[in-house]
Structures are given as structure tokens and as C-alpha cells.
Amino acid sequence: MEDIDIEQLEPLPVDRDGRRFGSAADQPDGDRKIGCCEKFQRSVSKWMLPEDSRSKYLERANCCPPPIFIILISLAELAVFIYYAVWKPQKQWVTLDEGIWKSPLTYKPEERQEAWRFISYMFVHAGVEHIVGNLLMQLLLGIPLELVHKGFEVGMVYLAGVLAGSLASSIFDPLSALVGASGGVYALIGGYFMNAVVNFREMIPLLGIFRIAAIVIFVGVDFGFAFYRRFVSDEAGLKVSFVAHFGGIAAGMTIGYVFFSAYNKKLIKDPRFWLCIVGYVLFVVFAVVFNIFLSPAS
């Protein structure tokens, strides 16, 4: 009978504790096939996080639940746009028209005592290029951000940008109306841009350059449209303020930067967090006092 050299046999498929692997999913990482969700999460980590935070993110990354906040807010904005574009008799598909100025959602300086308008204006858009640009950017940027930082952080930054945008507009352009979600979109952009700049050395150089260049190009084009609608276009009875863009990006580069740079850290222990919160509260208080007592729109 032929002798069998045990050392030449293939090792049994067991783990370090002596248990047999039951399926491909139980195999060691080197032999396991990477699924679509995991590939997507790895790409997200490269785009959104510095190198020292990626491993911690990938350990607990999960596609479920999906990024609910940014998807729901986008669907709500699209639904309002379709309502005013289709069910109202106007040319809303292309440009501004009278219908949206009668909306209880639009921010109008003479009706600013209706405080909800400082937030609700984000649901009303000036036309096709306006809503397509906002939805495209907030989905492309907001979904990966929410996968990493979850809905609460992204929602707080987004809404902080919306409110900062309307308050800034009421101070620096007090006689102009306001529509669109640009304040929230620019808050996400501002927070992401600051992280891309601060963590540039920890990213793949070409990827970092591309991210910063893409943001600069988008911001430049969008600001161009905003300036056109404010100072050149005569298609609307009211002028649309562009100051919300500045308010939103300022909120993003402060509050957004703190939220998005504090991955896996406790914000309450970060002095930058409290500094930004105090600064934001002081700005809101000043804006409220200005609108009550000092605004030329009174």
C-alpha cells in the first residue's frame, strides 16, 4: 500500500479556531469575492474620507438603510416643481413665471413675517436648469456624504445652509425674493470642499485635484446663472437674490466642515463645533433683529 505524505495534502478549509468554512462568504478576505455594495463603499471612502479613517468606515459600512434624507428632500423638491410646472397654467418648465410668486413657500421680503418661508423657499425652483442643477449636485454629493456621515449630520448641514442663505439674503439683498435649494446645496459643497483642501495630502493627488476643480467649475457656472437671473434677466416680475449661495457656502465651510471632518469622533468634545454653533446662533439672532427693526423692506 502506497504511503501518503500528510504534509503534501492541501490544508483543511478551517479558520484559526478549527471551524470549517461553510461557504464562500466565510472564506478569508484574500479569497472572498467583493460584492457590488462593498466596491461602492470602497469608492465612497476614497472620495469622502482621509486615508486614516477609511478602514474604520469600511468595517461598519452598510448600504442599508439607504441615504434617506437626501433622497426624500430631492423627491419633495421635484414634486413641488412638477406641481407648479404641470398643474398650474404657466411656462414654469423653462423660466420663472407668476405662479411661483403666489406660492406660500416662496420667500418674499414683504411677507417675511411668515417665518416658514425662510426654510420652505428651498422647495420652489425658478426653472428647469435651476432644479436640474440643484438636484444633480445634491444627489451626487449628498448620497456619498450621507453614507459616510448618516442622515442627521447631512440634514443639519443642509438645513443650516438653507436658513443661512435666506437670512443672508434678507440682510444683504433685502428687497429681493428667493427660491431654490442652492443654500443647502452650497452648504454640502462648502463642507466637502474644505475637507478636500485640508486633507489634500492624504488623498490620491490626481483625485484631489479633480475634486477641487470640479467644485470650482460647478460653483462658477452656477454663480453665473444666479448673477444673470438677478441683474440681467427681465423675464420675472421680481428679482431673485443670489446671496443665498454665499450664505450656504459660508455655513458649509464652517459647520459643514466640522461635521464632515469629525468622522468617528464626538462633536461635543471638539471646540471647533461649539465655536461654529455659537457663531451661527449669533448670526441668526442678528438677522432676526435686523429683519424686525432695521430692514428697508419693512
Side-chain angles (χ1 to χ4, degrees), residues 60-135:
R60 59 189 188 185
N62 195 339
C63 290
C64 294
I68 296 296
F69 172 80
I70 205 68
I71 291 176
L72 289 181
I73 206 73
S74 298
L75 289 175
E77 291 165 3
L78 182 61
V80 171
F81 175 80
I82 292 175
Y83 171 76
Y84 284 105
V86 177
W87 280 276
K88 293 290 183 179
Q90 58 174 320
K91 300 177 182 179
Q92 173 67 8
W93 286 110
V94 178
T95 184
L96 288 169
D97 209 85
E98 183 180 359
I100 62 172
W101 301 120
K102 297 179 180 179
S103 170
L105 303 177
T106 301
Y107 172 79
K108 299 173 67 176
E110 65 272 16
E111 296 178 1
R112 67 188 186 284
Q113 69 276 7
E114 298 175 346
W116 69 82
R117 292 177 182 265
F118 284 90
I119 294 289
S120 63
Y121 77 94
M122 69 179 180
F123 294 108
V124 186
H125 284 79
V128 174
E129 83 287 343
H130 194 196
I131 190 169
V132 168
N134 280 344
L135 289 183

Side-chain angles (χ1 to χ4, degrees), residues 100-264:
I100 62 172
W101 301 120
K102 297 179 180 179
S103 170
L105 303 177
T106 301
Y107 172 79
K108 299 173 67 176
E110 65 272 16
E111 296 178 1
R112 67 188 186 284
Q113 69 276 7
E114 298 175 346
W116 69 82
R117 292 177 182 265
F118 284 90
I119 294 289
S120 63
Y121 77 94
M122 69 179 180
F123 294 108
V124 186
H125 284 79
V128 174
E129 83 287 343
H130 194 196
I131 190 169
V132 168
N134 280 344
L135 289 183
L136 186 63
M137 180 54 69
Q138 74 184 30
L139 288 172
L140 287 176
L141 190 56
I143 287 178
L145 280 172
E146 192 168 343
L147 284 171
V148 173
H149 301 284
K150 305 308 177 185
F152 175 77
E153 287 85 354
V154 173
M156 290 294 291
V157 172
Y158 188 90
L159 294 177
V162 170
L163 181 59
S166 58
L167 292 176
S169 179
S170 70
I171 295 172
F172 299 105
D173 197 7
L175 301 180
S176 295
L178 193 61
V179 293
S182 296
V185 174
Y186 271 77
L188 299 182
I189 293 174
Y192 180 70
F193 178 79
M194 284 297 293
N195 275 296
V197 171
V198 171
N199 298 313
F200 182 82
R201 292 184 178 181
E202 300 181 31
M203 307 291 184
I204 301 172
L206 184 60
L207 184 60
I209 294 172
F210 172 78
R211 292 192 306 174
I212 294 174
I215 292 174
V216 171
I217 292 172
F218 173 83
V219 170
V221 172
D222 194 53
F223 263 97
F225 277 114
F227 275 101
Y228 174 80
R229 287 192 296 265
R230 175 62 179 85
F231 296 109
V232 179
S233 177
D234 293 324
E235 295 172 338
L238 294 176
K239 291 296 184 181
V240 183
S241 176
F242 65 93
V243 180
H245 297 68
F246 290 104
I249 204 166
M253 295 178 75
T254 52
I255 294 178
Y257 168 64
V258 173
F259 270 92
F260 297 155
S261 66
Y263 179 75
N264 201 36

Side-chain angles (χ1 to χ4, degrees), residues 268-289:
I268 59 174
K269 295 183 178 180
D270 190 340
R272 299 175 304 166
F273 171 74
W274 294 109
L275 182 63
C276 289
I277 292 298
V278 170
Y280 190 84
V281 170
L282 290 176
F283 166 70
V284 171
V285 171
F286 173 79
V288 170
V289 172

